[in-house]
Amino acid sequence: MAPVMPLQMAPEGKELRVTSINAGRGLTRRLIEMGFNERALVKVLNSHGRGALIVQLNDARFAISRGMAMKIMVDVA
Amino acid sequence: MGAKNHITVALAGNPNAGKTSLFNAITGSRQHVGNWPGVTVEKKVGKYTHKGIEIEVVDLPGTYSLTAYSIDEIVARDYIVEERPDVVVHIVDASNLERNLYLTTQLMELGTRVVIALNMVDIAEKRGDVIDIEKMAGFLEIPVVRTIANIGYGVTTLMDEVVKEAQKPEHHEHEIGYGKEIEKALVKLESIIKRDTHLVGIYPLRWIAVKLIEDDENIKERIEFSPVREEIEEFLAEIDTIDFEARMADKRYEAINAVLPQVLKKGEVGMTTSDMIDRVLTNKYLGIPIFLILMWGAFELTFTFATPFMDIIDLVFGHLSGWANENIEPAWLGSLIGDGIFGGVGFVLIFLPNIFILFLMLSFLEDSGYMARAAFIMDKLMYNLGLHGKSFIPLLMGFGCNIPAIMATRTIEDEKDRLITILVNPFISCGARLPVYLLLAGAFFGGQAATVIFFIYIFGIVVAVGSAKLFRSTILPGKPAPFIMELPPYRLPTLRTTVIHMWERGSMYLRKAGTIIFVFAIVIWSLSAFNGDGYIEETEKDIDEGELLVGDGAFEGKGRFTVLEDGEGTFTGTVLETVELKSGTYEKDRYYEGIELMEEEELHGDGTFEGECEFLSDEDGGRYIGEDFTVEESFAADIGHGFGPITSPLGFTWKMNTALVFGFVAKEVVVGSLGVLYGVGEDEDRVSDSMEDDKDFSPLVAFCLMLFTLLYLPCLATVPVIYKETGSVKWTGFSVGYGLVLAWLLAFVVYQVGSLMGY
Ligand SMILES: Nc1nc2c(ncn2[C@@H]2O[C@H](COP(=O)(O)OP(=O)(O)OP(=O)(O)O)[C@@H](O)[C@H]2O)c(=O)[nH]1
Ligand SMILES: [Mg+2]
């Protein structure tokens, strides 16, 4: 099984799958509403090292801060 | 139920889906549209008549769901859930169907009548997507209409559907099945809730049950005083609501994904142009330098491009002012029109070209999609400074006007992050402050003007982020909350929309010039042209034998002319006693033309003296033509002198004080006031020349005045907005007080250090 990691650590350009969200209830819900539900496929387009990320989710692009990206767990799809 | 002829329609949907564009297309309004999420933060109402039916259209802020996390979303949620419009038009971004449909599932559950406006079909189709709207409408049991909101395509068809839908009863038939276990819990919950007859009347039963499982704050508040509250809580404690909620969300996506492939045939998806642009603009190393270069370029353009236009306007108003002063009778009216209106208002209008170019840049920034990227690029820096990533957008907007900028903080979820962003926003140099800088830097720094102004802008930013850092380590401790923000695709703004946006906001400045600045120009003119004794006017008076008169003007007759301290003047006529003056010796009973008298010199003669002196008339008396008192003794001067003790350590004179006092109304008034105060009683056609002639007005003072104007007070219109957005008198007072203290301290340091260094 592919290792689960926070989105922050994920490699750029690889197809990833959201496995879970490690956050409080409200934030988890918000992320799901924005499309980060379990099994959603995402891709890191641009990683600023220790800074924020640009993530592709279907046809949307999101800027995600480091703190937030640590809460979204993914594995390589 | 008979046919309704008055219906309310709410426009709801994800952020940046095109709601406001559609609102504008339907109602013919010109509400603010921009290519980034979170443009609209309050509801806007418009009217439209469709085939005899009056429709009240309500534009709402964007939201991802009916659970609200930030103030703008609360506005949207409350309107849809509590106010219950007759129809909700759900604007769905066709180029991003799956996520958009999540909100649809929620609206369906709520049981409102929904019509889907499938917007941005142009974008979806351009990249080859094929959407079968008939099937889509069939599956969802909701009418679907294709629209392209920004060009108004599909509006009529959409409104047809809306009107049709409004006549139907509310229906809750299409709902999502959540699986046996959850359905059982929902049924049980419903049976409990049903006993609270009050609640049942307000919301659909099933919806309440779902929201209770989702731990929804608003619904929890609703059941606070319900007779069945305990029973509900007991039941909820028995089930694993967190797990249930997750499964429910899953089911919704499952339902969407069951429908989607049958409705949507996706075109080729390679790397989009937008992503390619992002490779460069948001590059790890290039992002910040590119941002800075763009800002510098925008700044340069605002400054240099406008110069020729400014010069023309300046010249026109200069001439108009001179003409009015000379040709309009009575003299006071000439001065009111010349100095007050052309001088004050015209002075502000000189900077109109700059304002327009500034807004052109900002429109481009907003419409292109770069705005949201800038927030991303700056996130790390912002974080280190204690500011939330989303704070960057309100800060950028502040360069236009602080009011919409402060409103834009509504999208920031965390209260502390939001408060800090509000508090530091007034330090960003808004468009109204630009004329002040342009005037002062232009008059005193010549070729260096652009650099000085750039420095002032940067200084404002430094103060803003420095204050944020300070607040974070003192009164509002903590770290900025993590953030997530959707990035819109880049779009090349059309010339038309950009120009419209520019005009919308630039014309505000024009309107302000015609209203508030106009009024205050007249107020300041009145204050400077009057004092307790009346209007400052040229007078002619006869002086009787032996009378003494002090004045600044021309004296005619036989008598003693004693030049006052600081004064000087010239005498033409017959000298009656031989005198030795600095300019030479003049003999008794000889006629001289233009004898120069310097300070504290005296001459006895028969003729005309012009200048400032004490005139003691001889036997026959004499005649005086001149000003009774000057602007130095007007009400305006009294006001300015009143603040003297506070501002003299900053090098400010009374004229500047008066201008600053009235500048609280609107910062442009500082310019208008200086225009009036340096115009009244001055001969120079151009007010800036009179300013340069003022020996107390050095470049250092001008610089301090710019700093002070930047920081000292949010303008009169901003204060109530700060109050409204913080909801606290304390924070509003703090914002005002902090600015004043900071302005004084910084101007003090700069002036004192500058003086010591000999500037
Ligand atoms: N190509 C295209 N662009 C559109 C369409 N509708 C809106 N836009 C553009 O999309 C952007 C967002 O439009 P808005 O009307 O501000 O969106 P909104 O939903 O009100 O956004 P928020 O108020 O931020 O939630 C603007 O740049 C519009 O010009 C459309 O049908 N096609
Ligand atoms: Mg909007």
Side-chain angles (χ1 to χ4, degrees):
Chain A
M1 212 179 82
V4 174
M5 63 198 144
L7 191 56
Q8 180 68 35
M9 315 273 171
E12 247 177 76
K14 280 250 165 58
E15 188 98 333
L16 308 163
R17 183 177 28 225
V18 176
T19 58
S20 66
I21 289 169
N22 257 343
R25 197 165 175 185
L27 187 55
T28 307
R29 184 188 309 128
R30 157 62 15 134
L31 284 168
I32 288 174
E33 289 160 358
M34 288 178 113
F36 291 84
N37 52 316
E38 256 173 59
R39 291 187 295 282
L41 296 177
V42 298
K43 192 194 267 180
V44 177
L45 294 183
N46 196 335
S47 165
H48 273 202
R50 289 160 35 76
L53 313 174
I54 294 183
V55 173
Q56 170 183 357
L57 192 168
N58 294 326
D59 294 313
R61 308 286 180 275
F62 290 92
I64 301 183
S65 75
R66 176 187 158 77
M68 188 74 80
M70 291 302 289
K71 298 178 198 290
I72 302 172
M73 306 305 289
V74 295
D75 61 11
V76 175
Chain B
M1 193 167 59
K4 295 180 192 157
N5 53 17
H6 178 99
I7 57 178
T8 52
V9 176
L11 305 182
N14 286 179
N16 210 38
K19 299 174 293 299
T20 307
S21 304
L22 191 64
F23 177 81
N24 289 346
I26 297 171
T27 62
S29 331
R30 289 220 181 135
Q31 290 301 334
H32 191 168
V33 166
N35 188 20
W36 48 281
V39 179
T40 310
V41 291
E42 48 181 358
K43 69 170 203 244
K44 293 273 156 104
V45 183
K47 292 247 182 302
Y48 169 72
T49 311
H50 185 77
K51 301 190 173 148
I53 295 174
E54 252 181 65
I55 302 178
E56 188 174 301
V57 188
V58 181
D59 184 26
L60 295 172
T63 179
Y64 290 104
S65 74
L66 291 180
T67 313
Y69 302 85
S70 54
I71 295 170
D72 57 327
E73 290 177 347
I74 292 174
V75 172
R77 182 237 169 240
D78 282 356
Y79 191 80
I80 298 168
V81 175
E82 311 293 344
E83 311 255 330
R84 287 313 190 87
D86 294 311
V87 180
V88 171
V89 171
H90 176 21
I91 290 89
V92 168
D93 177 355
S95 65
N96 194 354
L97 265 185
E98 179 180 4
R99 211 271 317 291
N100 274 253
L101 288 178
Y102 193 81
L103 181 60
T104 319
T105 64
Q106 298 214 325
L107 289 170
M108 276 158 58
E109 227 153 40
L110 184 61
T112 18
R113 303 182 196 87
V114 181
V115 174
I116 288 180
L118 190 65
N119 197 35
M120 308 227 184
V121 283
D122 54 329
I123 296 176
E125 279 164 13
K126 204 189 258 143
R127 70 174 185 218
D129 291 1
V130 180
I131 303 171
D132 185 337
I133 64 160
E134 249 106 81
K135 261 195 192 158
M136 186 171 162
F139 280 124
L140 300 173
E141 296 176 73
I142 294 175
V144 179
V145 179
R146 299 163 75 245
T147 58
I148 304 172
N150 56 339
I151 59 166
Y153 169 84
V155 168
T156 321
T157 325
L158 177 70
M159 294 323 276
D160 280 340
E161 289 298 334
V162 166
V163 169
K164 232 191 280 169
E165 192 69 15
Q167 312 301 343
K168 291 185 195 161
E170 292 211 349
H171 41 119
H172 315 292
E173 63 263 30
H174 37 238
E175 52 200 26
I176 288 162
Y178 292 122
K180 245 202 204 126
E181 196 185 349
I182 296 176
E183 288 298 333
K184 224 172 86 192
L186 286 173
V187 169
K188 175 78 185 136
L189 263 176
E190 283 178 47
S191 72
I192 302 173
I193 302 161
K194 221 188 296 185
R195 280 184 273 129
D196 181 344
T197 43
H198 173 67
L199 212 53
V200 171
I202 308 177
Y203 313 109
L205 263 185
R206 184 180 170 88
W207 188 76
I208 304 174
V210 168
K211 285 290 149 186
L212 281 171
I213 290 179
E214 286 179 351
D215 197 35
D216 184 274
E217 292 296 328
N218 293 80
I219 288 300
K220 277 195 333 205
E221 259 169 48
R222 279 287 188 170
I223 62 159
E224 186 105 17
F225 302 105
S226 166
V228 294
R229 180 184 141 195
E230 269 178 31
E231 228 177 305
I232 291 174
E233 283 174 354
E234 264 168 39
F235 179 76
L236 288 175
E238 277 169 33
I239 56 177
D240 184 351
T241 53
I242 297 181
D243 173 57
F244 273 29
E245 183 187 347
R247 277 154 61 189
M248 276 154 53
D250 245 15
K251 282 285 180 192
R252 290 191 194 117
Y253 275 112
E254 231 171 66
I256 293 167
N257 284 320
V259 172
L260 213 55
Q262 308 183 58
V263 170
L264 168 73
K265 295 276 164 297
K266 262 189 139 355
E268 276 294 294
V269 270
M271 192 175 178
T272 65
T273 328
S274 212
D275 289 335
M276 283 191 279
I277 298 173
D278 260 344
R279 284 266 142 142
V280 182
L281 292 188
T282 62
N283 182 282
K284 201 188 314 191
Y285 305 105
L286 296 178
I288 292 180
I290 291 177
F291 174 76
L292 292 179
I293 290 169
L294 286 175
M295 287 297 122
W296 168 254
F299 179 81
E300 271 296 310
L301 217 56
T302 307
F303 202 74
T304 51
F305 197 67
T307 313
F309 301 100
M310 280 169 70
D311 287 343
I312 295 171
I313 302 176
D314 189 10
L315 216 64
V316 169
F317 277 104
H319 280 298
L320 281 176
S321 167
W323 176 85
N325 260 314
E326 277 160 36
N327 295 304
I328 296 180
E329 292 290 338
W332 69 265
L333 188 64
S335 172
L336 169 63
I337 294 174
D339 298 324
I341 296 174
F342 289 144
V345 177
F347 211 39
V348 172
L349 288 181
I350 294 172
F351 305 105
L352 199 62
N354 306 86
I355 298 291
F356 269 95
I357 295 174
L358 174 73
F359 283 124
L360 186 75
M361 308 287 171
L362 287 173
S363 297
F364 194 84
L365 180 68
E366 281 192 49
D367 294 341
S368 62
Y370 188 61
M371 185 87 144
R373 264 77 180 186
F376 166 77
I377 295 165
M378 290 296 172
D379 172 64
K380 197 171 165 191
L381 191 66
M382 298 293 274
Y383 184 85
N384 290 332
L385 293 166
L387 279 163
H388 190 256
K390 275 192 195 167
S391 301
F392 200 67
I393 291 179
L395 290 183
L396 275 178
M397 289 178 77
F399 287 118
C401 174
N402 298 121
I403 294 172
I406 288 171
M407 307 262 301
T409 62
R410 288 186 176 190
T411 61
I412 299 173
E413 294 91 353
D414 184 82
E415 243 343 278
K416 246 187 225 170
D417 290 337
R418 182 161 176 264
L419 188 55
I420 290 179
T421 314
I422 293 174
L423 291 177
V424 305
N425 204 284
F427 300 129
I428 299 299
S429 288
C430 65
R433 273 169 265 193
L434 182 60
V436 183
Y437 306 156
L438 287 167
L439 167 69
L440 294 172
F444 294 97
F445 292 94
Q448 248 74 63
T451 320
V452 170
I453 297 178
F454 192 68
F455 180 80
I456 296 274
Y457 267 84
I458 299 288
F459 193 81
I461 299 167
V462 170
V463 169
V465 296
S467 299
K469 186 99 187 150
L470 179 70
F471 298 158
R472 272 293 183 209
S473 50
T474 52
I475 46 176
L476 294 164
K479 290 225 173 301
F483 89 99
I484 176 164
M485 181 173 54
E486 193 167 354
L487 298 176
Y490 287 104
R491 283 194 201 115
L492 193 63
T494 60
L495 189 66
R496 201 182 75 98
T497 51
T498 309
V499 168
I500 288 176
H501 287 175
M502 174 191 79
W503 174 252
E504 283 298 306
R505 282 182 255 166
S507 58
M508 274 261 291
Y509 183 80
L510 207 58
R511 265 204 300 282
K512 248 161 116 187
T515 52
I516 202 163
I517 294 165
F518 180 81
V519 169
F520 274 85
I522 294 178
V523 168
I524 288 155
W525 174 84
S526 310
L527 289 173
S528 62
F530 289 89
N531 74 4
D533 298 332
Y535 177 60
I536 305 176
E537 195 169 26
E538 281 219 331
T539 50
E540 285 190 40
K541 57 172 82 154
D542 290 326
I543 301 157
D544 288 337
E545 180 191 340
E547 253 187 323
L548 176 77
L549 191 129
V550 181
D552 182 6
F555 296 83
E556 235 178 42
K558 196 197 241 182
R560 292 200 169 273
F561 302 93
T562 312
V563 176
L564 299 175
E565 220 183 316
D566 294 340
E568 54 187 287
T570 54
F571 175 81
T572 301
T574 313
V575 174
L576 299 176
E577 271 169 28
T578 304
V579 285
E580 212 174 293
L581 300 172
K582 282 177 201 137
S583 54
T585 307
Y586 303 93
E587 287 180 23
K588 189 175 165 190
D589 291 333
R590 291 255 315 257
Y591 179 86
Y592 293 95
E593 235 168 78
I595 299 177
E596 279 190 48
L597 273 78
M598 310 300 277
E599 53 186 85
E600 297 189 56
E601 285 184 326
E602 189 185 281
L603 177 146
H604 189 216
D606 184 3
T608 313
F609 173 86
E610 256 180 75
E612 201 176 300
C613 88
E614 246 175 49
F615 171 61
L616 179 63
S617 62
D618 266 3
E619 302 114 52
D620 314 326
R623 227 178 124 59
Y624 164 77
I625 304 174
E627 281 178 358
D628 273 356
F629 61 90
T630 63
V631 68
E632 300 293 331
E633 294 155 31
S634 63
F635 287 128
D638 291 342
I639 296 173
H641 285 305
F643 287 91
I646 304 170
T647 62
S648 57
L650 317 179
F652 296 172
T653 62
W654 74 262
K655 287 184 183 178
M656 301 172 206
N657 293 346
T658 308
L660 286 170
V661 168
F662 290 102
F664 169 54
V665 174
K667 303 261 164 151
E668 301 97 320
V669 172
V670 172
V671 172
S673 309
L674 288 174
V676 174
L677 293 173
Y678 278 95
V680 172
E682 296 284 344
D683 305 327
E684 303 265 14
D685 257 3
R686 291 167 57 117
V687 183
S688 44
D689 293 336
S690 315
M691 274 173 26
E692 285 165 65
D693 291 345
D694 183 343
K695 61 182 180 345
D696 292 327
F697 216 148
S698 65
L700 177 63
V701 172
F703 186 77
C704 290
L705 191 57
M706 283 190 259
L707 274 191
F708 200 82
T709 309
L710 163 65
L711 305 171
Y712 81 120
L713 281 175
C715 70
L716 191 60
T718 307
V719 173
V721 175
I722 296 179
Y723 172 68
K724 193 169 148 219
E725 295 303 313
T726 57
S728 140
V729 177
K730 191 185 95 190
W731 285 117
T732 313
F734 175 79
S735 167
V736 171
Y738 179 76
L740 269 175
V741 170
L742 202 64
W744 193 90
L745 284 177
L746 289 171
F748 177 77
V749 170
V750 172
Y751 181 70
Q752 295 300 335
V753 172
S755 300
L756 282 180
M757 286 163 61
Y759 285 105

